[in-house]
Amino acid sequence: MYPAQEDALSEGTTAQETQLQPLDAAALKGTGKVLAVHLSYNSRAAQRGRVPANPSYFMKASSSLSLTGGTVERPAGTELLAFEGEVALVIGKPARRVGLDEAWSYVGAVTASNDLGVYDIKYADKGSNIRSKSGDGFTPVGPNLVPAGLVDPAGLRIRTWVNGGLVQEDTTADLIFPFAQIVADLSQLMTLEPGDIILTGTPAGSSVIVPGDVVEVEVDSPATGLSSGRLSTTVTQGEVPFAEFGNTPKVTDKDREDAYGSAEAAGLAPKAPVLTEELKAKLASVATATISGALRKRGLNNVSIDGLQPTKTGRKVIGTARTLRYVPNREDLFKSHGGGYNAQKRIIDDLNEGDVLVMEARGEKGAGTLGDILALRAQIRGAAGVITDGGVRDLSAVAGLDIPAFYATAHPAVLGRKHVPWDTDITVACGGATVQPGDIIIADEDGILVLPPSLAEEIADEAVEQERQDTFVFEMVKAGHQVDGLFPMNADWLAKYREWTAAGGGQ
């Protein structure tokens, strides 16, 4: 039986005299729902590179619950089992549509939890985390329940140890979303029942664990001296592989980075950016037409995104491509992929400084693919521009933003009329050109070019040199010289050009 706050402290007792209630198997059997917050600590948000505006959630199976002193299996064929030390809230009385000012009173107790998950199968759940987070033993809780009425919800401390070494330490003062907000928010649509458990997110420091590791988590209230005690879990190695009739483990470097917390922690040497500031300056100094000519010399005649118009003139966009693909609308697929935190919203939330979002809309002009709110979000994320071969909604508002956009047409309709946002960071087709993530995009009112990263330096150097030569020719023609032999330059004029550059011409 879980305590309600009014039962937590009997008359005449103090917090220090209160007997903490051990969490046992019988109590776990009374758990109806296990709810979890995706991202709720500022330290974790800093690692992820984004701060959510509102909390979002997923569910874990109640069969994943376990007690202290138990084991958790790293499934056979996987490598990325990660721990997340968290404060668990145990609901003490039914809560439905409760307000912020009363929400904390519906929490009966707090305790420690470990929101374990295996990143190798996360891709298969489409954001639900149902398998990646709901394995048997993937939600240890306990060992003791701390009565919620005896602690300040903003004054709790969460700590995690792996093999005796402290790896996580934070306080609930660092929460993005206070516990009362989480409880009130969830109660808007569902009744929180006594015994329901809410995992409230993990701070920075979560990482990968391997068989033989022992993970301990403790939640305490330094002001009162009350503590959950250390929740201990030992990792074992699974022996039964995943069957081929379902999704099997699959990981990418991005999964490893997320599981370990950073590229460095995952042993992934951060890649030096191809588009350095020096290279960007070179490309910005030359005309788009000059770059196009250098590409054509190398046989690259199909690297222009055609038929689009800019919201800004007099601005050159140079950035690294991120991609989003829309597929033609099919009602059942839009129902499963079009709403909520769909692919369009996810990639815009994941844009980084200097990215250019390139959207494949199949040249379909019968619906919008971007509006002012998402364009503003891309701008705030630091994106250099947005390109779509489809329509733009709220065109005047989008054009009024600082971020440049390139589009096929204006259209008032939303995605669902013609499009389903499908997948991201893959090879796409936009405006007749193939674009891959990592390609360099150069765009202005003269056109949009796709520059393969492997050719970027030599193309830039050649374009700078070509424009220097063009400047020399222009000055010579202006001085009265005839074009014959000068444009293109013969040997005599080349010699004079070299003298001109040696003297500082064109600098």
Side-chain angles (χ1 to χ4, degrees):
M1 183 69 182
Y2 294 100
Q5 281 198 29
E6 56 266 28
D7 301 324
L9 193 63
S10 60
E11 186 177 354
T13 64
T14 66
Q16 287 75 11
E17 294 170 338
T18 299
Q19 182 66 43
L20 299 177
Q21 179 180 329
L23 193 55
D24 56 25
L28 289 188
K29 287 182 180 179
T31 303
K33 298 185 287 292
V34 181
L35 306 162
V37 183
H38 278 113
L39 189 60
S40 61
Y41 282 85
N42 283 296
S43 60
R44 180 74 159 177
Q47 283 187 315
R48 290 290 191 252
R50 63 182 181 88
V51 178
N54 295 292
S56 61
Y57 313 93
F58 59 95
M59 295 189 76
K60 301 188 73 169
S62 58
S63 58
S64 69
L65 291 166
S66 63
L67 297 170
T68 190
T71 62
V72 64
E73 178 185 291
R74 185 181 73 174
T78 67
E79 61 175 279
L80 300 179
L81 176 65
F83 67 86
E84 295 182 8
E86 305 193 10
V87 178
L89 310 181
V90 181
I91 297 300
K93 58 184 179 180
R96 178 72 165 113
R97 294 197 177 102
V98 301
L100 290 173
D101 57 344
E102 59 177 336
W104 180 246
S105 70
Y106 289 83
V107 178
V110 299
T111 192
S113 63
N114 190 346
D115 181 15
L116 292 153
V118 61
Y119 282 73
D120 310 61
I121 201 70
K122 189 174 181 178
Y123 78 94
D125 290 330
K126 298 180 180 178
S128 73
N129 290 337
I130 190 65
R131 284 170 292 181
S132 62
K133 289 276 193 174
S134 285
D136 287 350
F138 276 29
T139 315
V141 289
N144 296 313
L145 296 171
V146 177
L150 304 181
V151 297
D152 176 0
L156 297 176
R157 177 172 58 175
I158 175 76
R159 289 181 291 177
T160 307
W161 297 262
V162 175
N163 301 326
L166 185 65
V167 292
Q168 285 185 296
E169 182 171 14
D170 211 332
T171 71
T172 50
D174 189 48
L175 284 169
I176 303 168
F177 311 113
F179 291 155
Q181 181 180 353
I182 292 169
V183 173
D185 188 25
L186 286 168
S187 77
Q188 292 189 91
L189 286 171
M190 68 180 78
T191 300
L192 300 176
E193 301 284 359
D196 286 350
I197 293 175
I198 303 173
L199 310 182
T200 58
T202 196
S206 165
S207 191
V208 172
I209 44 179
V210 299
D213 284 346
V214 177
V215 184
E216 298 172 288
V217 184
E218 180 184 19
V219 170
D220 70 339
S221 166
T224 65
L226 295 173
S227 169
S228 67
R230 290 200 186 188
L231 169 69
S232 178
T233 308
T234 301
V235 184
T236 63
Q237 177 59 57
E239 301 297 334
V240 180
F242 282 77
E244 294 297 331
F245 52 70
N247 292 111
T248 55
K250 181 174 66 176
V251 296
T252 64
D253 282 349
K254 182 65 168 61
D255 294 322
R256 293 186 178 93
E257 182 177 338
D258 286 346
Y260 280 93
S262 69
E264 292 78 7
L268 302 171
K271 297 178 180 177
V274 174
L275 187 57
T276 62
E277 289 302 315
E278 181 182 3
L279 174 56
K280 189 174 179 180
K282 289 179 184 178
L283 294 171
S285 72
V286 297
T288 304
T290 307
I291 298 170
S292 178
L295 287 164
R296 286 198 305 274
K297 286 182 183 178
R298 290 160 176 78
L300 293 170
N301 296 305
N302 297 294
V303 289
S304 62
I305 297 175
D306 298 330
L308 308 186
Q309 49 192 322
T311 58
K312 304 286 184 186
T313 57
R315 291 269 298 274
K316 177 169 284 188
V317 173
I318 302 173
T320 304
R322 299 286 302 278
T323 61
L324 167 64
R325 180 170 71 107
Y326 297 104
V327 297
N329 185 35
R330 205 178 86 184
E331 288 75 7
D332 60 323
L333 296 180
F334 191 85
K335 186 176 180 180
S336 61
H337 288 74
Y341 199 47
N342 60 30
Q344 179 199 47
K345 294 175 183 175
R346 290 197 303 271
I347 193 166
I348 285 178
D349 253 353
D350 194 46
L351 292 174
N352 296 308
E353 190 81 25
D355 286 343
V356 176
L357 178 58
V358 180
M359 297 190 281
E360 174 187 331
R362 312 174 310 284
E364 172 58 63
K365 298 181 179 180
T369 58
L370 180 76
D372 59 339
I373 292 175
L374 293 183
L376 175 61
R377 179 61 177 159
Q379 175 178 303
I380 290 172
R381 291 290 300 165
V386 180
I387 297 171
T388 176
D389 62 355
V392 167
R393 298 179 69 222
D394 315 306
L395 179 59
S396 60
V398 172
L401 297 173
D402 187 57
I403 187 172
F406 297 79
Y407 63 101
T409 188
H411 201 284
V414 296
L415 286 180
R417 184 169 187 264
K418 294 288 184 179
H419 302 294
V420 181
W422 196 252
D423 44 15
T424 62
D425 288 324
I426 60 167
T427 300
V428 300
C430 182
T434 298
V435 181
Q436 294 190 299
D439 283 343
I440 294 174
I441 303 297
I442 304 161
D444 58 22
E445 59 264 35
D446 288 334
I448 307 170
L449 295 176
V450 182
L451 179 57
S454 60
L455 296 175
E457 282 288 353
E458 63 180 83
I459 291 284
D461 289 340
E462 181 176 314
V464 169
E465 172 61 18
Q466 183 62 56
E467 292 219 345
R468 188 181 294 118
Q469 290 185 21
D470 290 348
T471 299
F472 172 75
V473 171
F474 185 86
E475 290 190 7
M476 295 304 101
V477 171
K478 186 177 179 180
H481 295 282
Q482 63 181 17
V483 173
D484 185 37
L486 174 61
F487 187 60
M489 289 184 281
N490 58 25
D492 289 341
W493 275 114
L494 279 172
K496 293 176 182 178
Y497 166 71
R498 293 189 185 100
E499 293 175 3
W500 179 77
T501 55
Q507 300 299 318

